[in-house]
Amino acid sequence: ASGIIAGVEPYDFEVLSKLTKLKCISRAGVGTDNIDIEFAKKKGIIIKNTPNVVITPVVELTLAMILDLLKRLTMQSLYLKNNKWKKIPGNLLFGKNVGIIGTGRIGKQVCIVLKSLGANISAYDINQDLEWSSKNNISYKSFKKIILNSDIISLHAAPNNNNIPIIDYKEISLMKEGVIIVNTARGGLINENALIKGIDSNIVGGIGLDVFPEEPYRGKLVNYENVVLTPHIATLTIESRLEMEIEATENLIQELKK
């Protein structure tokens, strides 16, 4: 092949070394973790992706998880389906302190959407976009302040170089009682055992996860009522997938024409 429209299948050294005619890999999506980028560069293979298409669906899933956990929708639905007429009080999003960890394209949009619904937004990022934060009246705080003060924490960061979780036992222990944690970014950002301990000790009031260190997920979190789990479907909407595939195809054609 001269060009490939790629999903998440591996393009490691073994695969790329056999693709002697390959000029371009065009990802229908954002992540390129499945591609040996350094080896691709050495071979002169151009890597393209579709970063903007995924913003809206991921933002919407993040919002859906936060509202589900605040209103206890999944829990109330499960009770009703099991013939239990049990009313559980929920919480407002309005006035809650929300900490956004990671202000890339998606994190920024999550900040803006939640702010428009009346939440108090604080953000953390190693590389602060001060022009954006000033324009949108959103303040950057230290990671520790986000952990200490947030009612809701939403992760939109890339994994660090050593793949050590940024949310671990220590971080959970510092959080406000009843905190809601949502992760639609990368599974390795959170230590699952620390989350379980947080739920069991009533520090963590709700969890929403779309990503996991190992997929398909078969872990213990399936046993908790106040946990909402989805099978890595943040970008899986009919509209965004079609747009993603069209853009990936157009990117590939553009490269092959050069």
Side-chain angles (χ1 to χ4, degrees), residues 72-160:
R72 310 290 185 186
L73 297 183
T74 295
M75 190 186 295
Q76 315 242 28
S77 181
L78 285 171
Y79 280 141
L80 201 54
K81 287 179 178 179
N82 285 293
N83 297 316
K84 294 179 182 178
W85 186 263
K86 185 177 179 180
K87 299 181 182 181
I88 307 164
N91 294 98
L92 292 174
L93 173 60
F94 187 88
K96 291 294 181 294
N97 296 327
V98 182
I100 305 298
I101 298 176
T103 53
R105 293 179 180 90
I106 293 169
K108 284 175 178 171
Q109 192 59 30
V110 171
C111 287
I112 291 166
V113 169
L114 293 178
K115 191 171 188 291
S116 73
L117 294 173
N120 305 315
I121 305 298
S122 298
Y124 169 80
D125 201 302
I126 295 171
N127 302 306
Q128 298 182 0
D129 188 340
L130 297 176
E131 184 181 343
W132 166 81
S133 64
S134 176
K135 179 182 176 183
N136 292 281
N137 197 26
I138 291 168
S139 60
Y140 277 107
K141 299 284 177 65
S142 70
F143 184 76
K144 187 174 182 180
K145 282 188 176 179
I146 295 282
I147 294 298
L148 284 169
N149 299 322
S150 297
D151 301 302
I152 301 163
I153 296 172
S154 189
L155 302 183
H156 303 282
N160 50 38

